[in-house]
């Protein structure tokens, strides 16, 4: 019954061991909190994908739209460079994107061992965003194919 969780915990330990040996990384956070944040963010991004797919006429257009949104997000959301170094208008756009908040929470919990109560507002807003995106996706979803 708990075999999959047991396997996951072993993979997590092995990954941390490898990171410790190669990069001298030490994990100081809560694995359950990390798992919860990953689950919430995954649901948000799945919802965004479904929502965007409701407004395109073909799979190719959907792929292009998703790539148009997701590729710049990796560079604008504090993953590779600090948001503070970006122009003000780009900072505004980055702060709207959920990936920015995911990166902040993950970095704070995994690297600095910050407690969950430090991110209550951020996680609450992410949950609210999930609910809004899910409700909008359900409301706009149609089984019929769109004419190209």
């Amino acid at each position: 019954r708990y075999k999959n969780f047991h396997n996951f915990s072993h993979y997590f330990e092995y990954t941390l061991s490898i990171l410790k040996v190669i990069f001298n990384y030490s994990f100081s956070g809560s694995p359950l909190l990390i798992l919860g944040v990953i689950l919430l963010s995954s649901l948000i991004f799945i919802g965004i994908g479904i929502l965007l797919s409701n407004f395109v006429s073909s799979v190719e257009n959907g792929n292009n739209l998703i790539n148009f949104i997701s590729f710049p997000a990796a560079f604008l959301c504090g993953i590779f460079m600090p948001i503070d170094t970006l122009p003000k208008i780009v900072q505004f756009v980055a702060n709207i994107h959920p990936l920015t908040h995911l990166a902040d929470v993950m970095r704070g919990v995994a690297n600095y061992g910050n407690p969950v109560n430090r991110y209550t507002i951020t996680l609450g807003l992410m949950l609210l965003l999930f609910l809004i995106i899910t409700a909008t996706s359900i409301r706009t979803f149609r089984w019929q194919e769109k004419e190209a």
Side-chain angles (χ1 to χ4, degrees):
R1 181 175 176 175
Y2 299 104
K3 185 177 180 182
N4 288 337
F5 181 75
H6 183 69
N7 288 341
F8 172 76
S9 65
H10 281 303
Y11 291 133
F12 189 71
E13 290 173 15
Y14 295 144
T15 303
L16 291 178
S17 299
I18 291 169
L19 290 172
K20 177 69 175 173
V21 170
I22 296 174
F23 299 109
N24 196 27
Y25 174 77
S26 62
F27 180 81
S28 59
S30 162
L32 290 177
L33 180 59
I34 294 288
L35 190 61
V37 171
I38 289 172
L39 178 65
L40 178 60
S41 339
S42 297
L43 291 173
I44 289 172
F45 291 117
I46 289 169
I48 290 172
I50 292 170
L51 181 64
L52 293 176
S53 70
N54 291 336
F55 298 106
V56 295
S57 59
S58 68
V59 173
E60 292 81 18
N61 289 340
N63 286 336
N64 290 336
L65 183 59
I66 294 293
N67 287 334
F68 178 75
I69 292 171
S70 64
F71 181 73
F75 296 99
L76 301 178
C77 294
I79 303 292
F80 296 115
M81 68 180 79
I83 294 175
D84 301 343
T85 61
L86 301 172
K88 293 291 182 196
I89 187 71
V90 178
Q91 288 180 21
F92 176 77
V93 171
N95 284 321
I96 293 172
H97 201 285
L99 184 59
T100 302
H101 305 290
L102 166 66
D104 288 343
V105 173
M106 294 290 282
R107 190 177 297 117
V109 170
N111 293 345
Y112 307 118
N114 293 338
V116 69
N117 62 357
R118 184 168 181 178
Y119 301 103
T120 306
I121 294 173
T122 302
L123 291 173
L125 290 173
M126 288 175 72
L127 183 61
L128 179 65
L129 179 65
F130 164 70
L131 294 173
I132 291 170
I133 288 172
T134 301
T136 308
S137 297
I138 291 170
R139 184 109 167 99
T140 59
F141 183 76
R142 299 288 178 259
W143 278 106
Q144 295 87 13
E145 289 188 29
K146 297 180 181 82
E147 297 297 324

